[in-house]
C-alpha cells in the first residue's frame, strides 16, 4: 500500500488514531459468484465502514477502520473468498476518508472501454437442491432454482458489469419474495441475477414434433414418462438443447443414432448421482471428485461389467462418458425417470448445438419426438465439457460449459490479438496483457451454421472482455475457413500473421504451464500444414513461443485420395505398404484384401505411382489409422479418430506388460532425424498373418511409439541441452500413450509438460497462435 492517510482533518472527518482508509480493486472472476455479499459480511466481521460495488472491470471497495482491522480485512479478501471466485489481483492504495457510517453495497458502474472476467455456468449447489426436493419449500420442483453459488452465468450474460438488466433474465420481473431475497445482503440470493421462483420466473412447456404445446399438468413428469416409453426428447438446458433417450434401451439408442446420423460415435450418459455412476463405471477418487465438481463435466470412465447401459451407447469402447445432473431441471427429470439417460448435443452432425426454441423445432424435427422448452433465452451456445483422468490428473478433451471462458494466465504481456484457430475442433483466442480468453468448443468449421456461431461468439468475447485486436493470427493452411476469416479482417486494416500448426500446439502447452522457455516439443496429431507444403503430424520440434526448428519427424508416406484416406484407413495402410514394399505388399494383408476391392486397389496403385491426389504426410494419427487397418480393427470410420481409439481399446485388453516386439529405426539427415516406419509395419503384417492376438500387437505398437519418443528426446537433448519436453496433439488423448510416454521421459530425468485446462487436440491451437503471433510482432 501507499502512504497512510489519516488525521482529524481528512475531508472534515474526525478520525481515530491509527485509522486507515483504503481504496481496493479486486480483479478476476469476482462478479456473479457472491463476492459483494462476501465483502459485506467480511466488513461486519472486521468493523469496517465503507462500500463495495461492481464496475465494468473489477470489484471496487472503499474500506475505513483501524489499521489492524483493514489489514485483516485485506488478508481475508484473499484467503476466505467465495469458492467460485478466482482472484487474479488485489490492488490497494490509501485514500481520503469519506466518513460514512456502516458498510453499503452500491449500485454498479459501467465503462464501455473496460472488460471483466465472467464466471462459467455452475452446477446446482446442495442448498438449492434441498429446496427443489422439499415439498414445503416454495421452490419445490422448480427447474430454474439458483443462487449466488450456482446456476447460469456466461450463457445468459449480454454485457458487463454483471447485473440483471445485462442478462437474459432482464424481462422477468421479480415477485416481492424474490426481490426481498435479492436485496438482502445476508441472503444467499443477494444479487443472484437469475433469481426466480414459480411465481415470477421462467417456465417449462412440452411441445410435440410440430411445435404445438402438449397439454399436461407437469411437463417434467410427462417428459419422464415419455422417455420411459422410448421417446427421443430435445431438452433445453443451460447452453443449448440436448437430445435425450433411455440409455438402457437398445431400440431407443439405435433410433437416435439413425435420426442424428451418428452411426457409432459414443454418446454421453447422465445418471442421478455417484451411487448410480458407480453401478455403470469403475470410478477412481479423482473421477468421483470430477463428476461432483462445480463444472460437472462429462467424465470418461472405465465401464463396469454388468452395467444396464446398452452396448450401442459406446459401441466397441471400454469407457463410458458419464455426467451428473447440473441443473434442477436435470435433477428432477433423472429422479422422475428412474433411468440413466443418453444426453447428447442437440444438433445434426457437424452443426452447432441448437439454442433457440424455434430453431430447435425446425432443425431437430426429424430427430426429436417432443421438445421440452423454456422461455429463458440462451445468449451463448455451449456444449458440455468432456474430461478424463490419466495418472490421477485431469485431461480436458472438450473445453466448454463450466470451464470456458476462464482465461489462461500468461507468463508475459501480449498486445491485443485475435487467433482464429484451426479448421477442426475449432476454438478461437482473444488475448491482451497477461490474460488469454480461449473460447468454448466451436466445432468443425464445415457448415454455414458453425461459421455463423464462430463469428457471433468472437463478437461476444470482443464485447464482454473489451478487447479490440491489433493483430489476427491464423493457420498456415490456405484453405481453412478460419484462415479466410482472418484474411478478411486483414483486408480491413488489421495486421495478420500465419502460424505453423504444430508450433502452435507446443507453444500453447508451454504457456499453459506458466513457462516461457525453449523446449523439446512432441506434436502427434492427424494433420497440420507444414512449412514445406506437406502434411505434418508426427513432429519433434525445438521451440519456444516465438520460433521453432523441426528437428525430427515421421517418415513421409503417401495418403492416397487425401481426405478419402482419412475416412478409409485401409487406403492409408495400402498406400504405406505400396510405398515401402512394392505393388504386391497390400495383397499380403488379409484385412486389406477384405476391405479393398480389386478395382479400388488398382486405383490406389495408380494414384501412388503417379502421385495423383496423394499428398505425402508425416502424421502419427495416420500411422495409428494404418495399424488399425492392418490388424483388422477398423478399415472405414464414421467419426474422426475412430480407428485410433479402437486400436487403443485393443491395447487396453492386453494382459500384462507390452513386450518389445517392435522398434522404429532413426535416420539422420541434414535437417534432423527421421523415424522410419518399414520395420514396424512389416513386423505387424507378419504378426497378423501368424495370428498373434490383436491386443498384443496393439499394446506392443503403443509401447514402440512411446519408446521412440524417448529415444528421439535423448538425441535432441544431447544436441540442444534441453531437458523439458512438451506433449501436445490429439494423439496424446490416448490414455496409454500419454501415460507411458510421460512415464518413460520422467524416469529418464526429463521434465514433462502436459496440457492442463485446454485439450491436447486442436482445441488448444488458438492459444498457441495468439502467443506466437504477438511475440513475433512485439
Amino acid at each position: 500500500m501507499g502512504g497512510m492517510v489519516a488525521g482529524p482533518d481528512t475531508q472534515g472527518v474526525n478520525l481515530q488514531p491509527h485509522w486507515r482508509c483504503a481504496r481496493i480493486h479486486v480483479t478476476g472472476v469476482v462478479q456473479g459468484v457472491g463476492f459483494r455479499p462476501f465483502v459485506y459480511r467480511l466488513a461486519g466481521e472486521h468493523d469496517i465502514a465503507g462500500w463495495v460495488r461492481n464496475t465494468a472491470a473489477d470489484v471496487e471497495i472503499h474500506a475505513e477502520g483501524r489499521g489492524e482491522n483493514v489489514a485483516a480485512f485485506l488478508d481475508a479478501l484473499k484467503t476466505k473468498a467465495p469458492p467460485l471466485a478466482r482472484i487474479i489481483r488485489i490492488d490497494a492504495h490509501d485514500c481520503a476518508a469519506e466518513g460514512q457510517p456502516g458498510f453499503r453495497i452500491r449500485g454498479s458502474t459501467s465503462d464501455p472501454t473496460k472488460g471483466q472476467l465472467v464466471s462459467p455456468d455452475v452446477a446446482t449447489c446442495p442448498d438449492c437442491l434441498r429446496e427443489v426436493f422439499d415439498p414445503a419449500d416454495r421452490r419445490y420442483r422448480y427447474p430454474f432454482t439458483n443462487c449466488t453459488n450456482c446456476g447460469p452465468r456466461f450463457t445468459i450474460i449480454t454485457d458487463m458489469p454483471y447485473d440483471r438488466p445485462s442478462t437474459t433474465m432482464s424481462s422477468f420481473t421479480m415477485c416481492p419474495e424474490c426481490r426481498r431475497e435479492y436485496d438482502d445482503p445476508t441472503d444467499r440470493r443477494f444479487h443472484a441475477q437469475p433469481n426466480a421462483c414459480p411465481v415470477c420466473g421462467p417456465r417449462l412447456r412440452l411441445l410435440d414434433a410440430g411445435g404445438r404445446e402438449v397439454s399436461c399438468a407437469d411437463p417434467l413428469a410427462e417428459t419422464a414418462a415419455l422417455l420411459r416409453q422410448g421417446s427421443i426428447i430435445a431438452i433445453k438446458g443451460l447452453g443449448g438443447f440436448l437430445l435425450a433417450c433411455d440409455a438402457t434401451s437398445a431400440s431407443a439408442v439405435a433410433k437416435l443414432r439413425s435420426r442424428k446420423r451418428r452411426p457409432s460415435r459414443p454418446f454421453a450418459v447422465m445418471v442421478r448421482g455417484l451411487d448410480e455412476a458407480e453401478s455403470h463405471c469403475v470410478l477412481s477418487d479423482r473421477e468421483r471428485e470430477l463428476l461432483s465438481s462445480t463444472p460437472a463435466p462429462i467424465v470418461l470412465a472405465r465401464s463396469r461389467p454388468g452395467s444396464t447401459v446398452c452396448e450401442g451407447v459406446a459401441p466397441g469402447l471400454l469407457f463410458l462418458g458419464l455426467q451428473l445432473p447440473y441443473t434442477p431441471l436435470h435433477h428432477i427429470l433423472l429422479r422422475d425417470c428412474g433411468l440413466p439417460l443418453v444426453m447428447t448435443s442437440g444438433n445434426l452432425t457437424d452443426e452447432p448445438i441448437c439454442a433457440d426454441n424455434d430453431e430447435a423445432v425446425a432443425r431437430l424435427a426429424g430427430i426429436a419426438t417432443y421438445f421440452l422448452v423454456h422461455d429463458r433465452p440462451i445468449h451463448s451456445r455451449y456444449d458440455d465439457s468432456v474430461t478424463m483422468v490419466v495418472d490421477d490428473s485431469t485431461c480436458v478433451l472438450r473445453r466448454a460449459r463450466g470451464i470456458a471462458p476462464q482465461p489462461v494466465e500468461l507468463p508475459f504481456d501480449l498486445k491485443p490479438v485475435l487467433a482464429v484457430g484451426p479448421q477442426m475442433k475449432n476454438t478461437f483466442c482473444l488475448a491482451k496483457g497477461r490474460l488469454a480468453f480461449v473460447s468454448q468448443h466451436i466445432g468443425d468449421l464445415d457448415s454455414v451454421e458453425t461459421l455463423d456461431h464462430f463469428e457471433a461468439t468472437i463478437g461476444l468475447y470482443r464485447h464482454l472482455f473489451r478487447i479490440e485486436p491489433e493483430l489476427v493470427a491464423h493457420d498456415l493452411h490456405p484453405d481453412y475457413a478460419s484462415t479466410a476469416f482472418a484474411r478478411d479482417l486483414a483486408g480491413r486494416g488489421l495486421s495478420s500473421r500465419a502460424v505453423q500448426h504444430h508450433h502452435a500446439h507446443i507453444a500453447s502447452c508451454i504457456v499453459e504451464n506458466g513457462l516461457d522457455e525453449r523446449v523439446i516439443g512432441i506434436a502427434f496429431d492427424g494433420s497440420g500444414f507444414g512449412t514445406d507444403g506437406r502434411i505434418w503430424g508426427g513432429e519433434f520440434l525445438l521451440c519456444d513461443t516465438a520460433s521453432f526448428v523441426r528437428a525430427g519427424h515421421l517418415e513421409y508416406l503417401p495418403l492416397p485420395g487425401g481426405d478419402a484416406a482419412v475416412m478409409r484407413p485401409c487406403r492409408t495402410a495400402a498406400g504405406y505398404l505400396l510405398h515401402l514394399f512394392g505393388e504386391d505388399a497390400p495383397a499380403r494383408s488379409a484385412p486389406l484384401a477384405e476391405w479393398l476391392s480389386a478395382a479400388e486397389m488398382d486405383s490406389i496403385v495408380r494414384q501412388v505411382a503417379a502421385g495423383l491426389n496423394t499428398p505425402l504426410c508425416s502424421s502419427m494419427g495416420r500411422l495409428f489409422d494404418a495399424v488399425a487397418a492392418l490388424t483388422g480393427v477398423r478399415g472405414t470410420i464414421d467419426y474422426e479418430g475412430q480407428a485410433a481409439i479402437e486400436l487403443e481399446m485393443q491395447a487396453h485388453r492386453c494382459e500384462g506388460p507390452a513386450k518389445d516386439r517392435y522398434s522404429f529405426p532413426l535416420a539422420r539427415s541434414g535437417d534432423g532425424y527421421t523415424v522410419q516406419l518399414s520395420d514396424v509395419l512389416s513386423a505387424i503384417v507378419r504378426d497378423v498373418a501368424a495370428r498373434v492376438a490383436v491386443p498384443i500387437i496393439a499394446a506392443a505398437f503403443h509401447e514402440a511409439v512411446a519408446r521412440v519418443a524417448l529415444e528421439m528426446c535423448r538425441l535432441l537433448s544431447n544436441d540442444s541441452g534441453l531437458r523439458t519436453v512438451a506433449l501436445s496433439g490429439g494423439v496424446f488423448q490416448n490414455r496409454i500413450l500419454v501415460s507411458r510416454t510421460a512415464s518413460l521421459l520422467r524416469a529418464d530425468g526429463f521434465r514433462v509438460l502436459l496440457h492442463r485446462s485446454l485439450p491436447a487436440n486442436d482445441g488448444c491451437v488458438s492459444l498457441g497462435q495468439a502467443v506466437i503471433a504477438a511475440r513475433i510482432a512485439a
Side-chain angles (χ1 to χ4, degrees):
M1 268 194 184
M4 189 71 66
V5 177
D9 298 325
T10 304
Q11 292 195 351
V13 180
N14 185 21
L15 298 179
Q16 303 172 24
H18 310 299
W19 200 257
R20 190 174 186 178
C21 306
R23 187 62 54 88
I24 305 160
H25 293 268
V26 186
T27 57
V29 180
V30 289
Q31 295 191 24
V33 294
F35 200 80
R36 287 177 298 170
F38 156 72
V39 172
Y40 180 90
R41 291 190 294 270
L42 203 63
E45 293 172 12
H46 293 277
D47 197 21
I48 298 293
W51 48 263
V52 59
R53 67 182 175 191
N54 282 345
T55 76
D58 55 24
V59 167
E60 185 180 13
I61 304 167
H62 180 83
E64 300 183 15
R66 295 184 61 85
E68 61 269 25
N69 291 1
V70 172
F73 174 77
L74 277 168
D75 183 67
L77 285 176
K78 294 179 285 187
T79 60
K80 297 182 179 180
L84 299 181
R86 179 183 172 188
I87 294 176
I88 291 177
R89 189 174 62 252
I90 297 178
D91 295 319
H93 63 273
D94 292 329
C95 64
E98 295 181 353
Q100 297 295 323
F103 195 89
R104 304 186 311 283
I105 297 176
R106 285 187 172 180
S108 302
T109 63
S110 61
D111 184 338
T113 67
K114 294 181 179 179
Q116 165 65 277
L117 303 192
V118 179
S119 168
D121 293 14
V122 181
T124 308
C125 71
D127 288 333
C128 285
L129 201 56
R130 278 192 292 272
E131 292 173 339
V132 167
F133 290 114
D134 180 359
D137 194 276
R138 72 188 191 94
R139 289 187 173 89
Y140 176 59
R141 289 181 62 86
Y142 184 56
F144 305 99
T145 300
N146 67 87
C147 68
T148 54
N149 299 318
C150 68
R153 296 294 188 272
F154 190 72
T155 53
I156 64 170
I157 291 174
T158 60
D159 205 347
M160 294 299 286
Y162 177 59
D163 289 314
R164 194 173 179 106
S166 297
T167 73
T168 61
M169 286 294 295
S170 60
S171 62
F172 295 92
T173 302
M174 283 181 279
C175 67
E177 185 63 19
C178 285
R179 188 80 218 187
R180 182 196 62 75
E181 296 169 332
Y182 184 89
D183 289 335
D184 182 357
T186 65
D187 194 286
R188 80 173 199 279
R189 291 193 169 93
F190 174 73
H191 279 228
Q193 306 307 339
N195 188 32
C197 73
V199 173
C200 62
R203 298 182 183 182
L204 288 175
R205 292 184 300 145
L206 183 64
L207 310 179
D208 66 16
R212 297 173 291 269
E213 186 165 358
V214 176
S215 178
C216 57
D218 186 339
L220 269 172
E222 185 68 18
T223 298
L226 290 168
L227 286 166
R228 287 195 298 271
Q229 294 166 18
S231 293
I232 297 170
I233 302 184
I235 299 172
K236 188 175 183 180
L238 284 178
F241 279 80
L242 296 174
L243 290 164
C245 75
D246 176 2
T248 68
S249 168
S251 61
V253 171
K255 182 167 57 177
L256 177 57
R257 287 201 175 281
S258 174
R259 293 180 180 180
K260 191 173 163 65
R261 303 174 203 165
R262 187 167 166 169
S264 52
R265 188 173 182 173
F267 289 135
V269 174
M270 183 177 285
V271 295
R272 180 172 165 180
L274 280 179
D275 288 345
E276 187 178 350
E278 291 274 13
S279 72
H280 299 294
C281 288
V282 179
L283 299 176
S284 67
D285 290 343
R286 182 72 190 104
E287 287 166 337
R288 293 186 198 94
E289 179 184 330
L290 199 53
L291 281 166
S292 305
S293 65
T294 54
I298 296 167
V299 179
L300 300 187
R302 187 72 178 247
S303 297
R304 186 183 291 278
S307 166
T308 58
V309 172
C310 71
E311 185 178 347
V313 168
L317 305 184
L318 300 175
F319 295 86
L320 182 64
L322 284 183
Q323 65 181 151
L324 300 188
Y326 51 86
T327 71
L329 185 156
H330 296 130
H331 279 284
I332 298 168
L333 181 63
L334 266 292
R335 184 172 290 198
D336 285 359
C337 200
L339 294 167
L341 297 177
V342 166
M343 288 282 185
T344 188
S345 300
N347 57 3
L348 282 172
T349 300
D350 298 329
E351 291 184 359
I353 190 171
C354 292
D356 177 77
N357 294 347
D358 292 340
E359 173 196 23
V361 170
R363 284 174 53 197
L364 303 179
I367 305 176
T369 313
Y370 295 94
F371 296 81
L372 184 64
V373 304
H374 59 74
D375 53 356
R376 183 180 68 204
I378 295 170
H379 193 64
S380 186
R381 302 170 195 261
Y382 263 69
D383 289 284
D384 289 329
S385 292
V386 182
T387 62
M388 67 179 181
V389 175
V390 178
D391 297 335
D392 207 37
S393 294
T394 300
C395 300
V396 175
L397 306 180
R398 184 169 72 192
R399 173 186 167 90
R401 178 194 51 77
I403 302 176
Q406 296 273 29
V408 176
E409 295 180 47
L410 303 172
F412 40 70
D413 288 314
L414 293 184
K415 66 189 299 183
V417 57
L418 166 65
V420 295
Q423 181 77 8
M424 307 289 285
K425 293 183 171 57
N426 178 271
T427 65
F428 63 82
C429 176
L430 271 168
K432 179 182 179 182
R434 293 203 167 208
L435 295 180
F437 297 91
V438 179
S439 75
Q440 69 266 37
H441 170 80
I442 301 295
D444 299 346
L445 301 182
D446 295 330
S447 68
V448 172
E449 293 85 358
T450 307
L451 282 169
D452 288 344
H453 173 37
F454 168 75
E455 294 189 33
T457 309
I458 288 175
L460 176 65
Y461 273 57
R462 289 175 68 167
H463 176 67
L464 287 181
F465 303 123
R466 311 298 199 255
I467 298 176
E468 286 305 317
E470 300 171 9
L471 171 68
V472 59
H474 60 87
D475 196 271
L476 276 179
H477 200 297
D479 298 329
Y480 280 179
S482 54
T483 300
F485 179 81
R487 287 176 176 164
D488 182 63
L489 291 180
R492 301 182 211 172
L494 210 60
S495 61
S496 66
R497 183 169 293 276
V499 176
Q500 202 283 319
H501 184 89
H502 301 98
H503 184 201
H505 262 292
I506 301 304
S508 71
C509 189
I510 294 171
V511 297
E512 199 188 345
N513 282 274
L515 300 176
D516 182 19
E517 63 184 62
R518 199 163 182 82
V519 304
I520 299 169
I522 306 179
F524 286 170
D525 67 358
S527 67
F529 198 76
T531 55
D532 58 1
R534 293 175 173 175
I535 299 172
W536 293 6
E539 309 307 310
F540 297 85
L541 310 180
L542 301 178
C543 69
D544 53 26
T545 56
S547 64
F548 78 96
V549 173
R550 191 188 194 200
H553 59 84
L554 296 194
E555 178 178 3
Y556 278 121
L557 291 175
L559 204 59
D563 288 343
V566 175
M567 299 306 296
R568 299 257 294 152
C570 55
R571 292 181 65 94
T572 301
Y576 283 13
L577 296 188
L578 279 167
H579 182 86
L580 292 171
F581 308 115
E583 188 171 324
D584 296 333
R588 294 195 292 270
S589 167
L592 296 190
E594 179 182 344
W595 281 318
L596 293 168
S597 67
E600 187 173 10
M601 192 65 244
D602 287 344
S603 172
I604 293 171
V605 169
R606 291 194 300 271
Q607 279 186 300
V608 172
L612 180 64
N613 190 23
T614 304
L616 294 176
C617 76
S618 62
S619 165
M620 183 61 79
R622 299 291 78 82
L623 178 61
F624 267 78
D625 285 353
V627 173
L630 292 173
T631 52
V633 170
R634 174 66 58 175
T636 300
I637 66 170
D638 59 67
Y639 65 89
E640 194 225 354
Q642 182 180 12
I645 291 169
E646 293 183 3
L647 184 67
E648 180 195 350
M649 296 304 105
Q650 291 293 332
H652 280 290
R653 293 184 173 98
C654 181
E655 296 181 1
K659 295 180 180 179
D660 297 335
R661 299 182 70 90
Y662 313 129
S663 62
F664 294 92
L666 300 178
R668 184 159 195 170
S669 59
D671 59 351
Y673 298 91
T674 300
V675 181
Q676 298 183 315
L677 307 183
S678 57
D679 286 12
V680 167
L681 293 177
S682 62
I684 288 174
V685 170
R686 286 195 304 271
D687 278 351
V688 171
R691 300 186 182 277
V692 174
V694 172
I696 292 174
I697 297 173
F701 173 70
H702 280 75
E703 180 70 10
V705 173
R707 288 193 176 277
V708 78
L710 171 63
E711 185 178 355
M712 185 72 86
C713 287
R714 285 172 172 167
L715 292 171
L716 297 181
S717 180
N718 289 336
D719 294 344
S720 66
L722 297 173
R723 297 296 295 171
T724 298
V725 180
L727 307 182
S728 188
V731 175
F732 282 118
Q733 292 185 159
N734 178 313
R735 292 169 184 263
I736 294 173
L737 187 65
V738 69
S739 175
R740 185 59 176 154
T741 304
S743 175
L744 288 172
L745 287 167
R746 290 182 181 122
D748 210 62
F750 287 97
R751 177 174 56 165
V752 179
L753 307 181
L754 301 173
H755 287 283
R756 298 151 65 90
S757 64
L758 298 180
N761 65 31
D762 281 4
C764 74
V765 166
S766 62
L767 174 61
Q769 290 176 343
V771 168
I772 293 166
R775 305 245 26 209
I776 293 174

